[in-house]
Amino acid sequence: MNSATVRNLLARGMLAGLGAGVLALIAAYFLGEPNVDRAIGFEEAHAPAHEHEVEIVSRSLQSTAGLATGVLIYGIAFGGIAALAYCVALGRVGRFSPRATALLLSGCALLAVYVVPFLKYPANPPAVGNGDTIGKRTTLYFLMMVLSVLLAIAATILGKRLAPKLGTWYATVAAVAAFAVVIGLAFAFLPVINEVPADFPATVLWRFRLSALAMQLILWGGFGLLFGELAERLLNPRPAKAEDSRAMAAAPN
């Protein structure tokens, strides 16, 4: 793959990331923000009067312009990174079309980067979590994410090496099983964090986590569909129809 193609895919990846970010922004605003407001209301209702802090940035600004800026910038950045990963993966993960490769890469990345860490350390709304342990919780989450990504790469390599001996199907099953076993061990041995207040509404917590998961599904799924279409058009341009070619040849100059 030459440098011009990589640049074109990078630009298309960032554009697809922006488009997917718009979709994720809509989901975050309508699904996530109401639960954030409920969690903030719970936190304020249970905080002592002298601990109420003055807002540096208003809540209305946070939930509109601030949310849009964060999600869209994240979408563009993640789209560029995903496009570069796509350049490496294309043709190395199987004989898939550019569109199918984009969807496969998005699905696997969603699983490794977000879903697996989420299952061990799910997202929490405001009022959930001890401020004194935020450093520990952040470290454990990123450790789980890095471990998941590295194991996903290792499982892909394992599957490729087993394929000539076992066949594609059994090699894939073996690689997925190995990934699940090692991830299961990580789940068992890494510390468990449970800092949800006893009286925190379970419905708010559940809905917040579902909305966080839905946002990521929309972001990664939207990116896979948009980028797959753009990559397909770049790498496999549709040939001109024979009728159009003959019509152009017959047209007077």
Side-chain angles (χ1 to χ4, degrees):
M1 186 177 296
N2 57 49
S3 59
T5 303
V6 172
R7 287 195 300 271
N8 286 330
L9 286 173
L10 176 60
R12 284 164 171 76
M14 296 173 70
L15 181 61
L18 177 61
V22 172
L23 299 176
L25 174 62
I26 296 172
Y29 184 78
F30 288 104
L31 299 179
E33 285 302 313
N35 296 302
V36 173
D37 289 335
R38 295 186 186 101
I40 291 175
F42 173 88
E43 185 177 37
E44 292 177 346
H46 288 72
H50 65 275
E51 291 187 5
H52 288 285
E53 299 179 357
V54 178
E55 288 185 337
I56 299 176
V57 179
S58 67
R59 174 66 188 138
S60 61
L61 184 60
Q62 293 175 16
S63 62
T64 53
L67 177 66
T69 301
V71 172
L72 296 181
I73 291 178
Y74 174 80
I76 294 172
F78 122 87
I81 295 172
L84 294 178
Y86 176 87
C87 294
V88 176
L90 186 63
R92 293 183 172 90
V93 295
R95 296 181 179 181
F96 301 104
S97 68
R99 185 186 291 114
T101 301
L103 288 172
L104 177 64
L105 181 65
S106 296
C108 292
L110 170 66
L111 178 68
V113 174
Y114 188 79
V115 174
V116 170
F118 177 88
L119 293 176
K120 177 63 178 178
Y121 301 115
N124 288 323
V128 174
N130 186 347
D132 296 333
T133 64
I134 187 171
K136 175 185 176 181
R137 287 185 281 121
T138 302
T139 300
L140 288 173
Y141 179 84
F142 278 103
L143 175 62
M144 191 71 240
M145 184 175 65
V146 171
L147 180 63
S148 177
V149 171
L150 292 178
L151 287 176
I153 295 173
T156 302
I157 296 173
L158 176 64
K160 294 285 288 184
R161 292 186 176 181
L162 292 177
K165 297 179 181 179
L166 302 180
T168 302
W169 172 256
Y170 291 108
T172 302
V173 171
V176 171
F179 175 83
V181 168
V182 180
I183 284 294
L185 292 174
F187 274 36
F189 287 103
L190 285 175
V192 176
I193 296 176
N194 183 13
E195 297 178 350
V196 181
D199 55 346
F200 190 87
T203 303
V204 174
L205 180 62
W206 177 246
R207 288 178 177 174
F208 176 85
R209 289 176 174 175
L210 282 181
S211 64
L213 182 59
M215 178 181 170
Q216 293 294 327
L217 287 172
I218 292 171
L219 181 67
W220 288 91
F223 173 80
L225 292 171
L226 293 172
F227 181 68
E229 185 64 28
L230 294 175
E232 184 77 25
R233 294 186 180 187
L234 174 68
L235 300 174
N236 286 334
R238 295 178 182 177
K241 294 182 179 180
E243 293 80 2
D244 293 342
S245 299
R246 287 195 295 268
M248 292 178 63
N253 296 328

